[in-house]
Amino acid sequence: PFTEQRYLAAQIPAKLPYYEFAYPVPSLKSAADPTEAYALQLVAAILSGGESARLDQYLVREAQIANQVQVFY
């Protein structure tokens, strides 16, 4: 398991910027309480589960600082 923060930066010529953030979270198999994994799935759906999702509404439509937002669990 990850116990410390890791950081990697790469500068590659591109037409569009790309940012990716990852956090260690429990899986359904490793979670002490299985409801944690289901809650994370729900949060991912709320944040980026389509055009009406909160991150999509704010970052893509309102602030116009991204052309796409995705949250995976």
Side-chain angles (χ1 to χ4, degrees):
F2 294 104
T3 58
E4 61 190 43
Q5 182 177 354
R6 296 178 184 189
Y7 177 77
L8 171 68
Q11 293 185 358
I12 302 169
K15 293 182 181 181
L16 293 174
Y18 176 84
Y19 296 97
E20 184 171 314
F21 302 93
Y23 298 94
V25 295
S27 68
L28 184 56
K29 188 175 181 179
S30 69
D33 179 3
T35 59
E36 291 178 358
Y38 294 122
L40 290 169
Q41 287 179 329
L42 180 62
V43 168
I46 291 170
L47 291 177
S48 74
E51 293 181 5
S52 63
R54 295 179 185 189
L55 283 178
D56 193 88
Q57 284 180 351
Y58 179 72
L59 296 175
V60 176
R61 302 191 189 300
E62 293 176 22
Q64 297 183 355
I65 58 174
N67 64 354
Q68 182 179 6
V69 177
Q70 294 179 334
V71 175
F72 297 101
Y73 172 72

